[in-house]
Amino acid sequence: MRKLFLLFILAFFKLSSFASIQPVEFEDNTQLDLYNKIINNIKCVVCKAQSIVDSDTDFSRSMQTLIAEQIKEKKSEEEITSYITDRYGDKVLLNPPVDIKTYLLWFMPIGICLVLAVITFKNLKKLL
Amino acid sequence: MSRNYKILATTIFILLIFIFFSYVLFNKIDEKKSDEEFSKGRVIGNLEVSVIDSENNKIKKDKIYNYLKDNKTNIIHFWASWCSTCVKENVSLKEYIKNKKDINLISVIFKDDISSIDFKNLKNLYNINIDDSNGFVALEFGASGVPESFIVDSNGKILKHIIGNISNGELS
């Protein structure tokens, strides 16, 4: 019963995440895969917390259409991504590149976890 | 002594976390400003746009650079009739630029039904109206909403990016 309930909930997540993909036709599956890869990595510029796939804003729809057009023009993933980051910055990517500006973003959580782990292990005796 | 040291270390640790989150929070508040700064200096592409003839609502395709004036302040203003703030802003903009001849105000109508817009009424406000039905002009500029404005030179270089309403102070 619990598994069934979980499946039911998961089914809804699946539906919602594909709710606002624009119907686009490509020459082959490689283009479709590239399209899905790019649109899942771009953040909505209006609502910020969602990808353009999950967001239903006019800007996200335009972004999807623009990416599809550029794929049809045989542009590479790098060319399309840099077209968008040139205009909106790296923060528009859901998976931003690891560089000097994002070290804090990538490694701070690990750092905090390590510090907390050390504190916990040191005080393990007291806690138990 | 050792206990005091532990209390001090914990306090410093909590304080550091607090400073970190405060920094993140304040940066978030300033996001609008950083977005505006980010666009500065970028040159927009000479993309083909749909220019609306205000007399008969017909559209002709032309390059955007053809409408940027050398001796005037070119303001590209993104708006839509479904955005109530934008409609109100049109009234205040009209009042502000009434006696200013050095402003070349270009309107980009973002994802709107242009047949519902009264262009004759807007004739004295905007020099040109551009139909951005697919939103590509807004994306080329790096806009993230309406109303939003860009001040550009005749070579398409962005001099200023204004998110939200244009205040009179920003224009002068």
Side-chain angles (χ1 to χ4, degrees), chain B residues 62-77:
Chain B
D62 208 346
K63 296 278 183 186
I64 196 163
Y65 277 22
N66 294 343
Y67 298 95
L68 302 177
K69 303 263 166 68
D70 205 6
N71 50 354
K72 289 188 177 183
T73 307
N74 301 295
I75 303 173
I76 323 280
H77 183 62

Side-chain angles (χ1 to χ4, degrees), chain A residues 58-59 62 83 87-88 91, chain B residues 35 111 134 139-140 143 145:
Chain A
D58 282 324
F59 273 90
S62 295
Y83 178 89
R87 280 148 188 85
Y88 294 97
K91 65 178 183 179
Chain B
D35 281 352
K111 290 203 158 184
N134 55 13
L139 294 178
E140 174 61 38

